[in-house]
Amino acid sequence: MTQSSGGGGGGGGVHHHLNHHGLCCLSAAALPAPDAPPTPEPEAGGAAVAVAGVLHKWTNYGRGWRERWFSLHDGVLSYSKIRRDASAAADEDGGGGEVRLIGGASARIGGARRPDKPVGVVCLKLSAFRESKSDDRRFYIFSPTKTLHLKTDSKEDRVAWIEALILARSFYSLRSLSGRITFVQSDVSVSTARLRNRMQQEGLNESLIQECEQIVLTEFSSFRKQLKLCYEDQLSLFGSCRHHFEEGKDASIIQGALTRNDFSSSRHGNFSEYSTTESDEFEKQDGGDLTCEDESTYFDAADYFIEPNDRSSAMLSSTSCSEGLLDIQMEDSSHLLPQIKRRSKLPEPTEKERGISLWSIIKDSVGKDLTRVCLPVYFNEPLSSLQKGFEDLEYSHLLDQAYQHGKMGNSLMRILKVAAFAVSGYASSVARPCKPFNPLLGETYEADFPERGVRFFAEKVSHHPMLIACHCEGKGWKFWGDSNLKSKFWGQSIQVDPIGVLTVEFDDGEIFQWSKVTTTIHNLILGKLYCSHHGTMHIKGNRQYSCKLKFKEPSLLDRNPHLVQGFVEDDDGNKPSFLIGKWDENMYYSNLDTSKVKSVDQLKGAVLLWEKNKPSPNPTRYNLSSFAITLNELSPDLQDKLPPTDSRLRPDQRHLENGEYEKANAEKLRLERRQRMSSKLQDNGWKPRWFQQDGEDGTYRFKGGYWEAREHGQWDDCLDIFGEFSET
């Protein structure tokens, strides 16, 4: 592209803006000259781009690629379904103006078939577009509300469409700027009096002095023109956001959606296969309004798309769905949630911890139920089993993402995220040498984390068998379940077999259920203490997909511990996706069979689903994560709102957290004596306060009322389970 010389030299900024795209080879004649008068409204066959043709649009996995009639006119791209009738072709491109057709398939739209009414529109002023690197016929258009995945019949057709899109949006932007941006003329004048006086002192003649004055004035005029062009070029980046700032709106939301995502331009690397099963609501309607919201904008993606720098943004297969744009949208909305400062470390212990004799405890406990063994407080961590239930929701954002994927019609990506969530609950168990406190009958725990968009509640609903029920509400989903842990000492190890079903239900009615696998704690007497999780986890869905995950059992010769492998299966027995990872590190998915490999490093093209958070910068002897450190925090304002049954108010647990070990041990013995009375309470008809059972052997379900009682401070019917008691 050429650049004008002389006074118009500053126009290169506009030309550079159009030259971001490698396929753009437009002449400078297509643009208005810097000193030209305001651009008039274009006619159909004038400078404005008016093109049309058939493109293949991706709909979903069930319907695949569908032909749609696309029309580009006056900065707006609309698309329609194609009817199969004998009507004459509809003149839907602007009433008599000349329209250039792209592609041989467009000629088929004639007497036998014609475009329907527009069912979707994209305003180019609000959009960005990219071509695929792996398929020379594909390209993508990003708008604030949707992502269009398009495919042409040939490479040449894609070049023509991209050039038309660039020219249309550039012309549209310049036309809108010409009517909105004005260069404020300054009253500052340039005086040549000093120059004239100096030249007269040198004895120069009048004609030479006038010629020099004219040169100075000409150069100043040229500089002023360049300054004006530079001013307009800079404002072009923000001109379309003007209404946002005037109305106090946050324009950075949309800009951030492009600057923080993992996709790159065709000049910067692995954009390639961004495939999705996005459910386009316009496709389900008979028609739509040609509207364009001028208050929102996407900046040019060539300026803001960044280079992906990790494995999670690697090329995706055509059967996968990139989560990049979806996750960005959720990150953008997170700024609307309240930001709450939570603690990052435990209190400093007030006492020095003393050692204990393991032999005297273990020899009397072999073969017994762990819940009936009275262990000193030194074996505990300052968390209850109720709080551990919420710790499994540390990565609840995976369910947020699963909800969004399903909302977009991508059921496969939804179950992959659910599977990653089911595995992520084990990540915090690495190097956790201590056991949580067994709750008292009727003990409760609440976790209100508005910064995460979740609200959790749990209650111990039965003493024998020991059952804990929980319920959590998130952004578009609910999670609930109950658990009964059967545990036994086997001398050198403890085996814990969880019994119970966990359920996730999304707001659209899709449900997934699974049970946890077996956990074994090794080397109680000799060697380094560690835990392992092993067994098969079946995640059953009520719609198209289910999932099977195998937690590998450790062995002495195992060089790849903590391995998890699995697959997603549909109702017909097909396996559209496979999973691999480690329960203490990460999980990936791929369209390749992962059962043949031992680690994700041996699998090309795997895409990251979940990764464990970094360890706490303030480690404790319990090896709690940053998230776990916050669970037992008790601020004065929170204490006033809690019922007397909340785990944070349990005295032995509180003393242990504060490092008051003697007091903690004494309180633990006192509360365990009181706990023995729980069987009598249960036999006398005691019922859970906040949960009820679905049938005689059904799951305990939250019956509501807790958060309403919390709001009004109505805890009169809650027992003081941590207080003193009399056995008489």
Side-chain angles (χ1 to χ4, degrees), residues 230-270:
C230 181
Y231 171 79
E232 292 180 350
D233 187 45
Q234 293 295 323
L235 283 184
S236 67
L237 296 176
F238 304 100
S240 54
C241 288
R242 185 175 180 180
H243 295 297
H244 282 287
F245 296 105
E246 290 175 351
E247 298 173 14
K249 296 180 180 178
D250 188 3
S252 63
I253 296 176
I254 301 176
Q255 178 179 353
L258 293 179
T259 59
R260 292 193 298 272
N261 69 68
D262 288 335
F263 304 126
S264 66
S265 70
S266 60
R267 300 179 296 115
H268 290 117
N270 296 330

Side-chain angles (χ1 to χ4, degrees), residues 310-548:
D310 57 25
R311 186 168 192 158
S312 65
S313 55
M315 183 179 70
L316 308 182
S317 68
S318 60
T319 60
S320 65
C321 171
S322 169
E323 54 188 288
L325 185 61
L326 173 65
D327 296 343
I328 298 304
Q329 292 170 344
M330 289 187 290
E331 289 176 7
D332 288 339
S333 62
S334 65
H335 77 285
L336 301 174
L337 298 174
Q339 298 301 313
I340 299 177
K341 182 175 178 58
R342 301 187 185 273
R343 69 181 184 182
S344 59
K345 60 181 180 180
L346 295 181
E348 292 294 329
T350 58
E351 300 175 11
K352 184 177 180 180
E353 191 173 2
R354 294 182 297 178
I356 55 175
S357 174
L358 293 175
W359 284 107
S360 60
I361 298 173
I362 293 176
K363 68 180 182 179
D364 296 328
S365 304
V366 174
K368 294 183 180 179
D369 186 345
L370 184 60
T371 60
R372 295 178 178 268
V373 177
C374 297
L375 297 176
V377 74
Y378 307 105
F379 280 98
N380 290 92
E381 61 183 14
L383 293 174
S384 72
S385 296
L386 299 171
Q387 293 165 312
K388 288 282 288 184
F390 182 57
E391 191 176 0
D392 287 350
L393 285 141
E394 177 176 358
Y395 302 94
S396 61
H397 68 274
L398 295 172
L399 296 181
D400 298 338
Q401 295 169 6
Y403 169 69
Q404 293 294 338
H405 281 299
K407 188 177 179 181
M408 294 168 63
N410 192 344
S411 299
L412 177 59
M413 198 67 201
R414 170 175 282 186
I415 192 171
L416 287 170
K417 285 293 184 178
V418 171
F421 169 77
V423 175
S424 71
Y426 295 96
S428 62
S429 62
V430 178
R432 294 281 283 271
C434 299
K435 64 181 290 290
F437 282 87
N438 289 327
L440 277 63
L441 185 64
E443 186 173 334
T444 63
Y445 176 71
E446 68 158 63
D448 188 11
F449 277 58
E451 70 273 27
R452 292 174 174 262
V454 297
R455 194 166 63 173
F456 173 91
F457 180 74
E459 180 182 11
K460 182 174 180 179
V461 295
S462 174
H463 185 59
H464 286 298
M466 203 275 280
L467 282 176
I468 293 172
C470 69
H471 178 88
C472 185
E473 298 176 0
K475 293 180 284 188
W477 52 269
K478 292 182 178 65
F479 172 84
W480 71 84
D482 55 37
S483 62
N484 176 18
L485 299 179
K486 288 189 175 181
S487 54
K488 290 185 178 181
F489 280 118
W490 294 116
Q492 177 73 344
S493 63
I494 300 175
Q495 179 176 316
V496 179
D497 294 308
I499 299 175
V501 177
L502 302 177
T503 303
V504 169
E505 180 179 5
F506 295 97
D507 285 357
D508 56 17
E510 189 166 16
I511 297 175
F512 296 97
Q513 292 183 316
W514 67 93
S515 298
K516 289 194 169 186
V517 297
T518 298
T519 297
T520 301
I521 303 174
H522 304 268
N523 295 342
L524 288 178
I525 302 176
L526 298 175
K528 184 178 180 180
L529 194 72
Y530 73 95
C531 71
S532 65
H533 309 287
H534 47 92
T536 302
M537 177 184 290
H538 296 272
I539 303 176
K540 301 177 181 180
N542 66 337
R543 292 184 181 173
Q544 184 179 3
Y545 294 113
S546 296
C547 181
K548 183 178 180 180

Side-chain angles (χ1 to χ4, degrees), residues 344-349 615-626 629:
S344 59
K345 60 181 180 180
L346 295 181
E348 292 294 329
S616 171
N618 302 303
T620 67
R621 81 167 186 90
Y622 311 105
N623 202 28
L624 300 181
S625 66
S626 297
I629 288 174

Side-chain angles (χ1 to χ4, degrees), residues 195-213:
L195 178 63
R196 168 178 284 276
N197 292 337
R198 183 70 181 89
M199 295 176 73
Q200 286 176 345
Q201 292 176 4
E202 294 295 330
L204 299 180
N205 58 51
E206 183 65 23
S207 62
L208 181 58
I209 292 176
Q210 291 179 0
E211 183 178 350
C212 290
E213 285 181 320

Side-chain angles (χ1 to χ4, degrees), residues 600-614:
V600 70
D601 296 330
Q602 303 173 7
L603 194 66
K604 295 182 179 179
V607 183
L608 183 67
L609 279 170
W610 158 78
E611 188 171 31
K612 181 183 178 181
N613 293 331
K614 294 181 180 180

